């Protein structure tokens, strides 16, 4: 059994005009059986920083909990929130620590950086960062998502239009993937 | 009488006392007990831990801190000892520290020792949250920190931490709580407590004036009143004090830790009638 396809997932993030959107599907499966339709894959780190984790569900949850731990300590010591770029480096380092026994997750990080400039990036399960200016995708539906985003995306969309675009891209892509779907969860910041 | 093992080095003050029975006669025992000062982790003949007591002495010279438990929150007030104009404080607080979203502490004593312990406390709180996915109960955190402090009085040969803490926090089992801990690793839950300089005087004043079921506002007023009487300086100004409160935010229901801004501080002092009147032009 393919470990990345065990639970099924779809996560996507897009950049708009002074805003970003991050979305995920809601299905949690055990191979072909659906076990939950309200599973959360997008987590808040702080008001302007979110992380979506596709792949193995248990690793997604554990990874999020460990990141929340590290961010909490950062906040207490530095008395400020982490910048998205810094957070991305933290995630990358955390994943590479497990280079020979990795977390089976592909994270998507989306946040507003300095002067509220939107920032998105993704990385593979061992921490190879990939910055993008437009959109990033991950999960079992990633190939469909690439196609949908590429055709639907345009730069500098306002929040309302960005919401429409990302929702349509997500829903149409998961419809072509049996392992993800059962609704979507979209967050605009 | 208890038999104490022979210490290899002779007593520099009086070598003839090397073989004397420590409990034989009092003056000799008092002289002998100076020997035990050099070891942090053994008892003195009278059954005291000198290093711990010396640590408490050090704290008695530090800026004072007060904590008061109110019905709707916990109030912590601290006296800032260092108030030079040249001081550029990089962090917002000198005496108050947040340990977790629902827990904070006030410090009295050696600041560098306090920093280490606060870091340990923060790590411990987060590790608990990671394992149990819920915030650490206040007493658990206090206990773990006190266990660390106690370790330094029993093994390692290292000196104890010269810090006393006042912990203020909330958890869902016991609501708002206030704890005081000292260098020996002892701790207790209190309705009102004081540490640092003049803590005895402050404590007795609090005992007289504390009323159960006080509101936070009343607690703040009481804390400022007590502090104004016990502090050495002649006038209370906003830059000499730090005030922090742990309470539940009315809108969200979340536990909040808030440090009072200098402006708000000034207003509170004026309201309590504690500021010096402005000098005549």
């Amino acid at each position: 059994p393919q470990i990345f396809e065990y639970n099924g997932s779809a996560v996507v993030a897009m950049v708009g005009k002074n805003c970003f959107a991050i979305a995920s599907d809601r299905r949690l499966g055990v191979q072909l059986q659906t076990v939950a339709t309200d599973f959360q894959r997008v987590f808040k780190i702080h008001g302007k920083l979110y992380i979506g984790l596709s792949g193995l569900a248990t690793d997604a949850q554990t990874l999020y909990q460990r990141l929340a731990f590290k961010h909490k300590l950062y906040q207490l010591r530095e008395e400020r929130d982490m910048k998205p770029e810094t957070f991305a480096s933290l995630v990358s380092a955390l994943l590479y620590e497990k280079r020979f026994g990795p977390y089976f997750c592909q994270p998507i990080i989306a946040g507003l950086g300095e002067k509220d400039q939107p920032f998105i990036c993704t990385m593979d399960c061992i921490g190879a960062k990939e910055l993008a200016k437009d959109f990033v995708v991950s999960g079992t539906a990633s190939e469909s998502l690439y196609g949908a985003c590429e055709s639907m995306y345009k730069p500098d969309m306002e929040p309302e239009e960005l919401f429409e675009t990302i929702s349509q891209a997500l829903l149409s892509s998961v419809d072509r993937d049996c392992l993800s779907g059962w609704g979507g969860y979209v967050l605009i910041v | 009488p208890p038999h104490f093992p022979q210490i290899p080095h002779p007593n520099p003050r009086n070598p003839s006392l090397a073989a004397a029975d420590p409990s034989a006669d009092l003056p000799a025992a008092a002289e002998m007990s100076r020997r035990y000062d050099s070891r942090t982790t053994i008892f003195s003949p009278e059954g005291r831990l000198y290093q711990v007591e010396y640590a408490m002495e050090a704290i008695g010279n530090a800026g004072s801190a007060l904590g008061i438990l109110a019905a709707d929150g916990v109030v912590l007030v601290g006296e800032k000892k260092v108030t030079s104009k040249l001081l550029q404080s990089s962090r917002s607080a000198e005496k108050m520290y947040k340990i977790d979203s629902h827990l904070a502490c006030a410090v009295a004593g050696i600041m560098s020792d306090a920093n280490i312990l606060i870091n340990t406390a923060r790590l411990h709180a987060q590790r608990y949250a990671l394992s149990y996915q819920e915030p650490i109960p206040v007493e658990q955190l206090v206990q773990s920190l006190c266990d660390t402090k106690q370790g330094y009085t029993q093994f390692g040969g290292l000196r104890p931490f010269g810090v006393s803490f006042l912990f203020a926090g909330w958890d869902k089992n016991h609501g708002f709580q206030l704890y005081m801990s000292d260098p020996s690793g002892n701790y207790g839950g209190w309705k009102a407590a004081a540490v640092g300089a003049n803590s005895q005087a402050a404590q007795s004043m609090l005992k007289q004036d504390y009323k159960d079921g006080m509101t936070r506002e009343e607690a703040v007023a009481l804390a400022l009143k007590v502090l104004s009487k016990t502090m050495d300086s002649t006038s209370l100004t906003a830059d000499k004090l730090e005030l922090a409160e742990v309470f539940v935010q009315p809108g969200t229901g979340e536990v909040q830790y808030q440090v009072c801004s200098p402006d708000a501080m000034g207003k509170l002092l004026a309201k309590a009638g504690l500021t010096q009147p402005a000098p005549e032009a």
Side-chain angles (χ1 to χ4, degrees), chain B residues 6 10-21 28 32 35:
Chain B
Q6 293 294 336
N11 185 343
R13 286 195 193 86
N14 194 343
S16 66
L17 282 178
D21 183 354
M32 272 279 284
R35 273 193 193 179

Side-chain angles (χ1 to χ4, degrees), chain A:
Chain A
Q2 298 281 55
I3 194 75
F4 280 98
E5 277 123 38
Y6 190 76
N7 294 127
S9 54
V11 187
V12 56
M14 278 191 190
V15 166
K17 197 172 170 77
N18 299 324
C19 63
F20 69 85
I22 184 164
S24 77
D25 72 324
R26 319 253 316 167
R27 180 184 178 272
L28 175 73
V30 174
Q31 293 188 310
L32 42 88
Q33 186 185 37
T34 301
V35 168
T37 56
D38 59 356
F39 190 68
Q40 190 189 3
R41 286 187 180 281
V42 174
F43 302 99
K44 178 170 147 176
I45 300 290
H46 65 74
K48 293 182 181 171
L49 181 57
Y50 284 78
I51 181 163
L53 293 156
S54 67
L56 196 63
T58 174
D59 282 356
Q61 286 180 330
T62 304
L63 194 59
Y64 163 66
Q65 286 166 8
R66 291 194 62 195
L67 287 165
F69 176 108
K70 292 198 177 222
H71 182 255
K72 201 65 181 295
L73 286 170
Y74 184 95
Q75 252 181 343
L76 283 168
R77 288 187 190 130
E78 306 218 6
E79 293 181 10
R80 65 186 177 94
D81 288 330
M82 233 193 241
K83 289 205 291 269
E85 296 85 349
T86 315
F87 185 71
S89 300
L90 176 69
V91 181
S92 173
L94 199 64
L95 291 172
Y96 197 82
E97 263 171 38
K98 303 268 184 220
R99 171 67 177 77
F100 300 106
Y103 288 108
F104 296 112
C105 287
Q106 198 186 347
I108 281 189
I109 293 152
L112 292 176
E114 233 146 294
K115 301 194 187 62
D116 286 348
Q117 287 285 21
F119 169 90
I120 52 169
C121 87
T122 184
M123 54 192 81
D124 66 7
C125 64
I126 44 177
K129 265 190 280 188
E130 189 201 305
L131 305 170
K133 293 199 174 60
D134 40 16
F135 57 85
V136 287
V137 302
S138 84
T140 50
S142 57
E143 278 150 359
S144 308
L145 277 166
Y146 271 124
C149 290
E150 195 69 63
S151 51
M152 295 188 203
Y153 180 83
K154 47 185 211 286
D156 288 330
M157 281 186 275
E158 293 292 329
E160 291 77 16
E161 204 191 342
L162 187 66
F163 171 76
E164 281 300 321
T165 310
I166 198 172
S167 310
Q168 292 297 345
L170 179 71
L171 290 174
S172 56
S173 311
V174 303
D175 282 347
R176 268 286 173 193
D177 175 24
C178 56
L179 295 173
S180 53
W182 279 101
Y185 170 81
V186 183
L187 196 96
I188 312 274
V189 179

Side-chain angles (χ1 to χ4, degrees), chain A residues 62 64-66 68-70 72-73 76-77 79, chain B residues 92 98-101 119 122-123 126-127 130 133:
Chain A
T62 304
Y64 163 66
Q65 286 166 8
R66 291 194 62 195
F69 176 108
K70 292 198 177 222
K72 201 65 181 295
L73 286 170
L76 283 168
R77 288 187 190 130
E79 293 181 10
Chain B
S92 44
K98 187 167 157 183
I99 295 176
D100 200 350
S101 330
N119 217 33
R122 285 174 174 168
L123 274 167
Q126 288 311 115
R127 277 195 213 111
L130 183 63
Q133 288 298 302

